[in-house]
Amino acid sequence: MPHTASRPLAEGPRVGIRHFTRDDGEEFTARVRESRDLHRPWLFPPATAEAYAAYAARLIEDEDRAGYLVCDREDGAIAGYINVNNIVRGAFQSGALGYGAFAHAAGRGLMKEGLNLVIGHAFGPLGLHRLEINAQPGNTASLALARSCGFRLEGYSPGMLYVDGAWRDHERWALTAEMRTSG
């Protein structure tokens, strides 16, 4: 179902999460351009209006994806984004997470709070059982976020994803609904 509302789906003490909208393009792309040094060589989010329009359309319209903006409750500014990609239903009920903080919000714990809200939404209203994070071994910030939110390391995949012109190795981290409720 297409998402058109920008109201928070869940809120914590400092951030709320909400769906992407087409109207978020100007702020989102400005934040991407400001964060280029932080994101490279790990992430390549859309930095132009045209690229954002295509990106947001996939997150809004594709039932196999769900995109969330992490917004600072103090001023509503977009602090980062978290996407649940490759959602598989049936017996699997799983999705793969992708995320990025923006430079002005990095290192403040906002993404940890946002990721925990997304996890709660994914295991609640979204009805998923398992979430996965695939991160390059050198991406210490991404790995630290996965670890701090209770994900467990499940393996190492050489040449797993094509990133920045080459097939890159990734660590595979996962969290299930039972892991979340048990600890």
Side-chain angles (χ1 to χ4, degrees):
M1 169 182 284
H3 310 294
T4 56
S6 61
R7 63 180 175 74
L9 299 165
E11 291 182 308
R14 298 183 301 150
V15 301
I17 58 167
R18 65 178 177 81
H19 288 295
F20 278 76
T21 70
R22 288 174 172 81
D23 294 335
D24 291 311
E26 185 176 340
E27 181 183 359
F28 189 92
T29 57
R31 298 286 185 203
V32 166
R33 291 188 299 273
E34 293 167 1
S35 305
R36 181 181 166 93
D37 290 342
L38 175 67
H39 290 162
R40 298 296 159 61
W42 321 113
L43 298 173
F44 297 84
T48 66
E50 299 78 21
Y52 176 83
Y55 178 79
R58 288 189 302 273
L59 291 169
I60 292 167
E61 297 168 8
D62 188 342
E63 292 182 8
D64 297 334
R65 300 171 192 228
Y68 305 92
L69 295 172
V70 177
C71 299
D72 191 320
R73 289 189 62 191
E74 201 170 286
D75 59 7
I78 300 172
Y81 60 96
I82 302 168
N83 300 329
V84 184
N85 300 302
N86 307 321
I87 296 173
V88 178
R89 296 295 182 177
F92 200 32
Q93 296 297 336
S94 181
L97 294 174
Y99 46 79
F102 291 126
H104 75 282
R108 296 175 41 206
L110 301 179
M111 287 301 290
K112 179 178 179 180
E113 187 176 323
L115 182 53
N116 278 310
L117 292 171
V118 169
I119 292 166
H121 189 76
F123 290 156
L126 203 53
L128 297 180
H129 172 259
R130 177 184 172 86
L131 293 170
E132 299 179 9
I133 293 172
N134 298 300
Q136 293 179 55
N139 190 343
T140 56
S142 184
L143 296 173
L145 181 57
R147 195 176 296 111
S148 73
C149 288
F151 285 76
R152 71 175 170 226
L153 179 63
E154 290 193 333
Y156 183 84
S157 296
M160 181 178 186
L161 293 173
Y162 195 78
V163 179
D164 194 25
W167 289 99
R168 308 287 179 184
D169 301 345
H170 282 72
E171 291 184 13
R172 295 186 328 276
W173 295 75
L175 181 70
T176 64
E178 291 85 4
M179 289 168 59
R180 179 87 166 172
T181 57
S182 69

